[in-house]
Amino acid sequence: MTVEDIRTLGSPVMPSRGRQRPLGLTDVVLTGGFWARLQDANAAATLRHCEEWMEKLGWLANFDRVADGTTGPDRPGWSFSDSEVYKLVEAYAWEHGRSGDPAADEAVRRLTARIGRAQDVDGYLNTAFGHADQPPRYSDLEMGHELYCVGHLLQAAVARLRTTGADELVAIAQCAADHVCATFGPDGNQGICGHPEIEVGLAEFGRALGEDRYLEQARLFLDRRGHGTLRDISLGRAYFQDDTPIREASTWRGHAVRALYLTAAAVDVAVERDDPELLAAVERQWTNAVARRTYLTGGMGSRHQDEGFGEDWELPPDRAYCETCAGIASVMVSWRLFLATGDVRYADLMERTFFNVLAASPRADGRAFFYANPLHQRTAGAVADDSEVNPRAEGGVRAAWFDVSCCPTNVARTLAAWHTHVATVGERELTLLQYASAHIEAPGGLAIEVTTAYPDNGHVSVRITRAPSGPVTLRLRVPPWATGAELAEGGRCSTVTPGFAVIDRELVTGETIELTLPMTPRFTWPDHRIDAVRGCVAVERGPLVLCAESLDLPPGATLDDVRVDARVSPSERDGTVTVHAMTDPAPAEPWPYAPASAGTRGLASTELPLIPYHRWAERGPAAMRVWLPVHAEPDLP
Amino acid sequence: MTVEDIRTLGSPVMPSRGRQRPLGLTDVVLTGGFWARLQDANAAATLRHCEEWMEKLGWLANFDRVADGTTGPDRPGWSFSDSEVYKLVEAYAWEHGRSGDPAADEAVRRLTARIGRAQDVDGYLNTAFGHADQPPRYSDLEMGHELYCVGHLLQAAVARLRTTGADELVAIAQCAADHVCATFGPDGNQGICGHPEIEVGLAEFGRALGEDRYLEQARLFLDRRGHGTLRDISLGRAYFQDDTPIREASTWRGHAVRALYLTAAAVDVAVERDDPELLAAVERQWTNAVARRTYLTGGMGSRHQDEGFGEDWELPPDRAYCETCAGIASVMVSWRLFLATGDVRYADLMERTFFNVLAASPRADGRAFFYANPLHQRTAGAVADDSEVNPRAEGGVRAAWFDVSCCPTNVARTLAAWHTHVATVGERELTLLQYASAHIEAPGGLAIEVTTAYPDNGHVSVRITRAPSGPVTLRLRVPPWATGAELAEGGRCSTVTPGFAVIDRELVTGETIELTLPMTPRFTWPDHRIDAVRGCVAVERGPLVLCAESLDLPPGATLDDVRVDARVSPSERDGTVTVHAMTDPAPAEPWPYAPASAGTRGLASTELPLIPYHRWAERGPAAMRVWLPVHAEPDLP
């Protein structure tokens, strides 16, 4: 193939088949609102912020030192720090494609030049292995992350291919991918990488170049996994999903980001190889993990020890890990499944995860991030110093940079292309999945303008700015919580049920379709098998999970003391949601286990304000709870 | 001093002052029952079991290889494996002192000879540092454990000093202790060890030899700690208690065993230096941690990630770490505090921890052990293979040996001297703290024989086998749960309240005193701030925490389905305790968070048998719960 064949305005995931097709990067343009603000902060601050940190810490200079032959055992950064550079390049590339900002293009070129100088003549590219005084290539497949880094390089090259066409970065990536295929092909090293990512990188790079060899190598890596191919480690082989073949597994387990990156690649292979058995296996795993191993926020990963899924029903809110990267990886999986199957449940989970994991991570200025996203902070964290690297992925305060700093660059690349998840197309069909003010151009001549203040309120206005002749199908996703949603179109107003509201007729240029989603705050109750939040209730409003912060408590009260009267529905006034609550500041007993249930003592009633979970800790360190202990429950209907 | 000065039948902890004094190793002889069985299995199986494993894994040969100059980077075992050998020597030494078994004495001599050959001429002794191709001495104070290992060597030497008098092991230990003092003294290396233990070892060795220098070095190590003396690590300096000086800390935090070994040494220093401020600091930490960071079993350590205490009220039953060694370390602290203060609460917690942590660890045959002691096992673990090293400290099945195998040798040394915790003496006073059938000889001519089937039942019979002339005080501990306990003595029967039942008169040889503790099974409720067990109840019987195992459920039910009707008290028939429970096998919903609390559906009533927690997993892998979700609560009085 030649460069001319390459579609230059693609989007991150472009399967060759599927029930739904993605739009291109500039087919959707955000015009304001919640996600435009996040995207603007990303462009204005986060990209440069990441580059500056990686320059300061020497992670960029690692490439120069390999090129100059001066690297060695004193190389700074974890073995996988190259991947952060590639994720940043990917983010810059999408940002350049989206906005046309020449500075972003220049950044890609600047970084590409440094990366390229470090590549060995046979295509091997890594700054932590294989050079003077470093461990040999592929000497630690379990934890070395060499193939993982290449996977991120390939995703960066995909971004470049689909925004500017082939360039030096793409050439570097091709050399690296060819080296991987030559080294790990059917007759080569039979290993796999301890951290999946090469698979999803190879699959998309193969799709972007029309190069089947890369897809085949991805399939090979997938099929090798799950047979004890890697050495056992103290966390067990489930940590890197090498315990059970992906076709046989019933749920996600082990390290959450690893499990989800692997699953994303499995969807790609299943779709491209027309492998319904593999697709069914992935759908089964999604179904089981979402039913029993997922937090109300959409967050995944219950354990700090291995950054991993716990067991079914093991969902502690305080020790929830819910890594930002795992939320992004969950979106990667659900997006691919939605494109393959058209099943609305995947888009539903994406919205939940976008608003309550992805949006929670970056600070408003785009210069600090949450890594873990617990649903309960017991004590206010320390104030973070923006000039320091945070050694720990916890603490209840957004940090400028981390010792393991996977999340900032992952947020950056995801936000730069966030708008590509807003809508999909089918045969004479446009489906609106996420609600944001935007211009959308669909193939076949349909253009619309969406205007909304969602999620501040539930009104979504869709104006047809250009209608094609003949009937088209316009579908608007109605979230599962939106009981009583209303659709006004063609002079009719009707109630629509969760799923898709469908308009199937010839549209008229200039007409407006109005969807109204109910945004009354509501109580949400957990399954009784989720031990860690038994006797608690949460409050949601539209797609937003709400939380209580200690800053809003009456003087002298702590979040440990609060109990909600769930007989009184949450109320909203002047944009503030409150619940009717009591505080019970009972002193701690010498031994906290007693022969009789203590009941309640000295209750003081209060109206407790709640805020969106994604905004927590914005006013400084605070204790926080999503799940609120219940003092009194409503009678069952 | 000379060997003749050394008291040869001492016990592990012998402060030079304090409200209570310990008895010597042979002053108490167990004659049967619960603890005698554990002690017999320890003597008959565990000691040899540990030695065989350490021989097989090369941990013993590490000493030979240092002596022979053949050690190197291929040295097997963790850096701290020497300490397991020393703990085993300590166990053999107490066992020899207790039983007079010549094989145990021979084992001490056999191991001492191999240890001694590895000691450098300047007293340094470690098989992981300081020799050919090994890291230099003290090059990793944070995680290298060199001083930690010496601490255990000193405790082994104490056991030898107090059972046989000075020998080759004591000479080795003196050289090692002198080397530590020379290297880390006031003008030397200002470092401390990342894992406290040298402090408690130096303090007791100093007491045993009457060598104040050692105690002074322990004090120096204690006072250096808490000022950021060690390098920061990703788990934070609280991990090794180097965040806050021990005099200023309000509670225990970080790695539980580290925190508790350190605290034990602090009590020793406080007592020997007559330092009420330091003693008060330790008592404050005990009070706060027991009120808010301790499990119903007495277990400590809420987190797997750092084997550490969590925050206040963070007490998840499923992810409870409750390391066996932390239970032992908690007993070390409480025992020292009891001897110093005479406060009964320390003995109360010791009993709880003995029955529900220490006794839970060893399998009945003494050849497999729990490392972690969670209060909830969600899914049955895999069957353990006794021939394999368990790489992970979890799994719900007792394992023969661990990759990090601190617990088996800690259990061994603690059980060998367990009976020294049964009673203490004061001026013409004998206090019975733990109930077990035993002969007890007190100074001043008092001898008693205790006969009891405790904890199977609550009858404790104390026969005076030799009464001194004149009045004496005999005190019997009444546990805090023993409301309605009865004491029959001198022809009178009276109700006694928790604390001490006191008999203060002239005793008569041959008379019998009877204490009856109520053993009716009872519900126990958690403080409402312990989020993880909200809406649950536990059942206790006497000193035993009970639990439900999945093996006892009706067909088709799982522990996730069980809910207790707490309006009906637990009952006991033919030695089996049951609770009235329902099972609610509701299927999982696709999304486990719903707009209405589900209530109960299709409840089936059952009488659920409970077993002592310390016996769980004895019948094979099983799911298990201590805290049982409540279906209906009793009305408050």
Side-chain angles (χ1 to χ4, degrees), chain A residues 232-237 287 290-292 294-298 303-305 311-315 318-319 349 352 376-379 391-392 394 403 523-536 560-561 563 584-601 625 627 629-630 633 636, chain B residues 232-237 287 290-292 294-298 303-305 311-315 318-319 349 352 376-379 391-392 394 403 523-536 560-561 563 584-601 625 627 629-630 633 636:
Chain A
D232 198 9
I233 58 171
S234 66
L235 295 168
R237 284 203 180 91
T287 301
V290 169
R292 296 159 186 252
T294 301
Y295 284 92
L296 181 63
T297 54
R303 296 183 179 180
H304 280 245
Q305 188 185 22
E311 300 193 322
D312 284 351
W313 313 119
E314 183 190 325
L315 293 160
D318 50 351
R319 295 294 289 168
L349 185 68
R352 182 172 289 277
H376 180 189
Q377 178 77 22
R378 292 185 175 276
T379 55
R392 291 168 275 285
E394 55 187 301
D403 182 34
F523 281 132
T524 299
W525 300 85
D527 188 290
H528 75 271
R529 284 160 287 205
I530 306 176
D531 294 290
V533 294
R534 179 173 292 114
C536 292
D560 289 329
D561 303 330
R563 298 199 249 169
D584 175 16
E589 300 291 334
W591 179 242
Y593 308 101
S597 181
T600 48
R601 295 153 293 195
R625 296 190 77 118
W627 291 104
V630 171
E633 280 193 49
L636 288 172
Chain B
D232 198 9
I233 58 170
S234 66
L235 295 168
R237 284 203 180 88
T287 300
V290 170
R292 298 158 184 252
T294 302
Y295 285 92
L296 181 63
T297 52
R303 296 182 178 179
H304 280 246
Q305 187 185 23
E311 301 193 320
D312 283 351
W313 313 118
E314 182 190 325
L315 292 160
D318 50 350
R319 297 293 288 167
L349 185 68
R352 183 172 288 279
H376 179 188
Q377 178 79 20
R378 292 185 174 277
T379 54
R392 290 169 276 283
E394 54 187 302
D403 181 34
F523 282 131
T524 299
W525 300 85
D527 188 290
H528 75 271
R529 284 160 287 206
I530 305 176
D531 294 290
V533 294
R534 180 174 290 113
C536 292
D560 289 329
D561 302 331
R563 297 197 251 171
D584 175 15
E589 300 290 334
W591 179 241
Y593 308 100
S597 182
T600 47
R601 293 154 295 195
R625 294 190 80 117
W627 291 104
V630 170
E633 280 192 48
L636 288 171

Side-chain angles (χ1 to χ4, degrees), chain A residues 199-250:
Chain A
E199 299 83 356
V200 74
L202 280 167
E204 201 69 40
F205 195 52
R207 292 204 278 228
L209 286 171
E211 186 67 82
D212 192 69
R213 284 187 305 130
Y214 298 157
L215 198 81
E216 185 55 22
Q217 184 65 42
R219 188 197 61 72
L220 207 56
F221 280 136
L222 273 170
D223 283 346
R224 271 182 203 159
R225 202 173 206 94
H227 303 280
T229 303
L230 296 167
R231 186 172 45 85
D232 198 9
I233 58 171
S234 66
L235 295 168
R237 284 203 180 91
Y239 174 74
F240 32 46
Q241 295 76 47
D242 194 28
D243 56 332
T244 309
I246 193 161
R247 289 168 192 278
E248 296 168 20
S250 62

Side-chain angles (χ1 to χ4, degrees), chain B residues 7 20-29 422-432 438-450 462-469 472-475 507:
Chain B
R7 180 167 171 187
Q20 291 285 312
R21 291 200 313 278
L23 287 164
L25 194 72
T26 51
D27 295 336
V28 178
V29 177
V422 163
T424 56
V425 289
E427 188 60 29
R428 297 189 66 82
E429 177 187 274
L430 175 66
T431 302
L432 275 181
H439 296 296
I440 301 175
E441 292 270 346
L446 174 64
I448 65 172
E449 177 153 12
V450 181
V462 179
R463 192 162 66 88
I464 310 300
T465 52
R466 191 175 62 244
S469 61
V472 295
T473 305
L474 180 63
R475 304 195 306 162
L507 298 172

